[in-house]
Amino acid sequence: IIVSFLISGVYVYSRSGRSTKGDQAEGRLADKLQDPLFRARFIDFMTLSLSIENLLFYEDVEKYKTLPDENIEMAAMRLYATYISADCPYQINIRGPVREAIVRAMSTSQITRELFSPAQMEIYGAMQFH
């Protein structure tokens, strides 16, 4: 049973139901997500805590930032339709001004590689302290 995740370590699985303190190594969440075992457990935790959309959005934006210029517009539309729009399947919880800036940029075709960075920063903060 995954009890809780912390950026400076992980509280994980105790067969008795009590939380046990795991790895205390310092590190950023982004670095820890590179570890397949940590990432798999974090996915389980985010799914159980009903916030898997945060991790999916964070990872999709990381990929978006590395795309060739000719693919940016289509990828931005997919990110918007998946995580930002009012009726999207995995709507992320971000502040109104951040959402409005993305909506405005999308409606005026002012799509940049950094368009989703403010939202990604908010989501990253939420994942760190979740």
Side-chain angles (χ1 to χ4, degrees):
I1 298 170
I2 297 176
V3 177
S4 181
F5 276 83
L6 299 174
I7 189 59
S8 63
V10 184
Y11 286 86
V12 287
Y13 14 83
S14 170
R15 296 199 190 281
S16 67
R18 296 185 326 238
S19 63
T20 58
K21 197 159 194 171
D23 180 17
Q24 286 302 307
E26 290 297 322
R28 295 176 349 130
L29 179 60
D31 296 334
K32 289 185 178 204
L33 288 173
Q34 299 304 310
D35 176 346
L37 182 58
F38 178 89
R39 186 176 178 281
R41 290 179 178 157
F42 194 68
I43 287 171
D44 290 342
F45 171 73
M46 296 297 279
T47 302
L48 290 172
S49 68
L50 303 177
S51 23
I52 190 64
E53 70 278 1
N54 290 342
L55 178 60
L56 296 174
F57 175 74
Y58 175 83
E59 291 182 336
D60 282 351
V61 172
E62 285 297 295
K63 293 173 192 167
Y64 170 82
K65 291 177 179 180
T66 65
L67 292 174
D69 290 342
E70 62 269 12
N71 297 345
I72 291 292
E73 187 173 347
M74 183 63 74
M77 288 190 288
R78 186 184 62 75
L79 284 169
Y80 178 81
T82 304
Y83 303 106
I84 307 295
S85 72
D87 58 347
C88 64
Y90 295 105
Q91 189 174 59
I92 56 172
N93 186 13
I94 54 177
R95 292 179 302 119
V98 173
R99 184 178 307 281
E100 291 165 11
I102 294 170
V103 170
R104 190 171 37 259
M106 293 297 293
S107 66
T108 60
S109 295
Q110 295 182 351
I111 298 168
T112 66
R113 195 171 299 284
E114 297 303 316
L115 174 62
F116 298 97
S117 291
Q120 185 187 33
M121 288 172 32
E122 280 193 30
I123 293 304
Y124 184 79
M127 288 192 309
Q128 279 185 300
F129 301 108
H130 192 73

